């Protein structure tokens, strides 16, 4: 399914094969960044904050004199959390705005749709999507993921099930790359621990009811249901579950089990739900600086939008790679420096200005991000920690932090 979706979009990529690969020399003293975030659609609770974080980071880099002898110029588009809309927006960024990097895609389906375009144009693409297929289809090492993969989420779900003593889990997944990736990752990790999944259902989007799918799951008598879902479908499923009177625990990704879910269903329905999301690098100086700036700009703490710190780190790490690559470097040369400036070993730096100063001294730097330590593996993925939040009296209360190894 994931690969077919990717190939289906090949026509759009083929059209871009006729475009020249964009290098810095074509852009003079400006490096153009395209922000492609979900201002509307399912990702809208996070997209505006992500866009603001990208803008903040661009301003920070420019205030420090730019990167690699160039100022950053920002162009923004709304991907609408829809692959088709994202493709049109990405084509505008690439063909009209002549960007050299596309940052901020949220939904896996959107990232998978945009990848053929950025790949064909030889551009850097940075995202917060979870689908494992993103890594396997990134054959040019141009795609960088700042969020945990869905299989990492699945491994975290399995660790939480073990720690909480669940014995008979079942799974429900929204039929797309992200939803299936979550529960497939969980199943793999759970079976590796010697467990078995009692039942599984894959359900389709935009349905008015999921009662039949829910009944199939409840018939297996699970003690916990692990979800790969989004807010709209989760809302319907939990409402119908509560009406059934069943006594089952839930483990749900944080983008679906959030304050908006409580608003939609009420505190009684949501009581005891386990919400899991990655946690930022909260003890770092980079996070403290970002949190203060984000709060000033938006009136909201950085903790209210986990993806904002990731979007901010995209620009800072990219700018440090530009600085490390030096003046007149190509996109390919800048891309090759991303691991160098983000991974250990190296002098730990927490802002762009600190990193730029160290690079001027010919030192190797290790940017400790606001979102995570940003140690990219060979697939361009990171492994942050996971917060375990319990909904108690209508509030999400963090009760644990889970670390995993991949």
């Amino acid at each position: 399914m994931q690969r077919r979706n990717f190939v289906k979009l090949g026509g759009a990529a083929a059209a871009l094969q006729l475009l020249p690969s964009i290098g810095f020399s074509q852009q003079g003293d400006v490096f153009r960044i395209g922000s492609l975030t979900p201002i509307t659609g399912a990702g809208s609770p996070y997209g505006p904050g992500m866009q603001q974080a990208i803008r903040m980071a661009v301003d920070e880099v420019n205030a420090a004199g730019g990167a690699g002898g160039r100022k950053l110029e920002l162009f923004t588009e709304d991907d609408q959390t829809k692959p088709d809309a994202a493709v049109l927006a990405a084509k505008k960024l690439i063909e009209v705005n002549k960007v050299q990097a596309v940052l901020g895609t949220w939904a896996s389906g959107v990232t998978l749709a945009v990848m053929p375009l950025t790949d064909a144009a030889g551009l850097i693409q940075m995202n917060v999507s979870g689908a494992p297929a993103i890594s396997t289809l990134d054959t040019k090492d141009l795609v960088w993921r700042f969020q945990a993969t869905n299989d990492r989420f699945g491994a975290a779900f399995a660790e939480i099930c073990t720690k909480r003593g669940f014995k008979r889990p079942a799974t429900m997944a929204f039929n797309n790359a992200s939803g299936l990736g979550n529960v497939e990752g969980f199943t793999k990790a759970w079976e590796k621990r010697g467990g078995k999944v009692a039942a599984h259902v894959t359900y389709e989007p935009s349905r008015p009811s999921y009662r039949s799918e829910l009944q199939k799951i409840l018939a297996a008598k699970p003690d916990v249901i692990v979800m790969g879902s989004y807010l709209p479908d989760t809302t319907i499923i939990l409402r119908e579950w509560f009406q059934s009177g069943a006594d089952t625990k839930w483990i749900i990704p944080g983008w679906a089990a959030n304050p908006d879910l409580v608003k939609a269903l009420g505190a009684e329905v949501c009581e005891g739900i386990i919400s899991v999301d990655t946690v930022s690098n909260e003890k770092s100086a980079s996070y403290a600086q970002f949190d203060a700036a984000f709060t000033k700009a938006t009136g909201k703490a950085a903790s209210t939008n986990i993806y904002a710190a990731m979007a901010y780190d995209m620009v800072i790490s990219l700018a440090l790679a530009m600085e490390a690559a030096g003046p007149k470097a190509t996109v390919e040369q800048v891309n090759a420096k991303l691991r160098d400036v983000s991974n250990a070993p190296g002098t730990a730096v927490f802002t762009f200005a600190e990193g730029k100063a160290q690079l001027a001294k010919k030192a190797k730097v290790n940017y400790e991000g606001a979102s995570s330590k940003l140690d990219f593996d060979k697939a361009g993925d990171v492994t942050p920690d996971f917060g375990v939040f319990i909904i108690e009296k209508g509030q999400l209360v963090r009760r644990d932090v889970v670390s995993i190894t991949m």
Side-chain angles (χ1 to χ4, degrees):
M1 176 69 75
Q2 295 165 358
R3 185 171 295 275
R4 287 200 298 272
N5 286 343
F6 188 83
V7 172
K8 184 179 178 181
L9 292 158
L16 284 177
Q17 294 283 7
L18 300 176
L19 294 175
S21 181
I22 299 173
F24 292 169
S25 58
Q26 293 173 281
Q27 304 298 336
D29 294 327
V30 174
F31 178 69
R32 296 181 175 181
I33 291 174
S35 169
L36 186 58
T37 61
I39 305 303
T40 58
S44 61
Y46 310 106
M50 294 173 67
Q51 185 182 97
Q52 181 64 38
I54 289 172
R55 191 179 302 278
M56 286 166 45
V58 167
D59 290 344
E60 179 182 331
V61 171
N62 286 339
R70 292 170 171 80
K71 293 281 188 174
L72 303 184
E73 186 175 5
L74 180 63
F75 298 86
T76 63
E77 291 290 337
D78 176 14
D79 68 28
Q80 302 179 37
T81 329
K82 295 178 181 178
D84 291 346
V87 166
L88 293 175
K91 290 183 75 173
K92 179 184 176 186
L93 289 171
I94 296 168
E95 297 175 1
V96 178
N97 302 129
K98 307 297 184 184
V99 301
Q100 292 130 305
V102 175
L103 279 53
T105 51
W106 182 79
S108 292
V110 166
T111 298
L112 288 167
V114 168
M115 278 175 60
L117 308 182
T118 55
D119 185 76
L123 308 184
I124 295 167
Q125 203 282 331
M126 295 179 168
N127 66 83
V128 297
S129 307
I134 292 168
S135 299
T136 58
L137 295 171
D138 175 27
T139 59
K140 295 182 180 178
D141 197 33
L142 286 168
V143 180
W144 303 86
R145 191 196 317 248
F146 287 69
Q147 167 68 305
T149 58
N150 289 128
D151 50 356
R152 286 169 168 83
F153 266 93
F157 292 166
E159 176 65 16
I160 293 163
C161 280
T162 300
K163 292 182 73 172
R164 292 186 167 267
F166 295 124
K167 303 294 184 183
R168 191 174 171 81
T171 59
M172 297 184 72
F174 188 101
N175 190 14
N176 73 356
S178 178
L180 291 168
N182 267 5
V183 300
E184 288 168 357
F186 167 75
T187 299
K188 180 180 178 181
W190 187 248
E191 291 178 347
K192 189 175 181 180
R193 294 167 182 255
K196 291 184 178 180
V197 173
H200 168 73
V201 166
T202 300
Y203 60 87
E204 299 303 320
S206 303
R207 297 275 297 276
S209 172
Y210 294 102
R211 193 168 275 110
S212 62
E213 291 90 343
L214 181 61
Q215 288 174 347
K216 178 180 177 181
I217 290 294
L218 293 177
K221 300 187 183 305
D223 54 3
V224 65
I225 300 173
V226 176
M227 298 289 284
S229 59
Y230 294 95
L231 178 62
D233 44 291
T234 301
T235 303
I236 296 170
I237 290 168
L238 287 178
R239 181 182 292 117
E240 294 177 339
W241 161 76
F242 187 75
Q243 292 169 349
S244 77
D247 183 18
T248 312
K249 298 297 184 182
W250 295 83
I251 297 178
I252 304 175
W255 55 83
N258 58 22
D260 288 336
L261 182 71
V262 180
K263 287 181 183 178
L265 294 175
E268 184 181 2
V269 177
C270 297
E271 184 69 19
I273 287 173
I274 301 170
S275 175
V276 183
D277 211 340
T278 54
V279 292
S280 297
N281 194 10
E282 295 170 336
K283 296 181 180 179
S284 69
S286 50
Y287 182 80
Q289 183 267 344
F290 170 70
D291 182 35
F294 187 79
T295 302
K296 181 178 180 180
T298 67
K300 298 178 181 179
S303 60
T304 62
N305 187 343
I306 189 74
Y307 304 102
M310 299 176 193
Y312 171 84
D313 282 343
M314 291 176 189
V315 177
I316 301 301
S317 59
L318 177 61
L320 287 172
M322 290 172 59
E323 188 70 24
K328 298 184 180 180
T330 64
V331 170
E332 183 179 9
Q333 289 168 333
V334 170
N335 188 70
K337 291 292 184 180
L338 275 163
R339 285 187 186 85
D340 289 350
V341 299
S342 302
N343 293 15
T347 301
V349 297
F350 301 93
T351 67
F352 172 74
E354 287 179 11
K356 184 174 182 177
Q358 289 296 323
L359 289 168
K361 299 176 184 178
K362 307 301 181 183
K364 184 185 182 304
V365 301
N366 172 22
Y367 174 56
E368 299 282 346
S371 61
S372 75
K373 292 184 178 180
L374 291 187
D375 290 333
F376 293 105
D377 65 13
K378 64 181 180 181
D381 298 333
V382 297
T383 305
D385 292 334
F386 295 83
V388 182
F389 300 82
I390 312 299
I391 300 181
E392 301 174 359
K393 298 180 180 180
Q395 302 297 315
L396 278 87
V397 181
R398 193 165 82 191
R399 293 299 186 188
D400 197 7
V401 175
V402 170
S403 299
I404 63 168
T405 57
M406 296 297 289

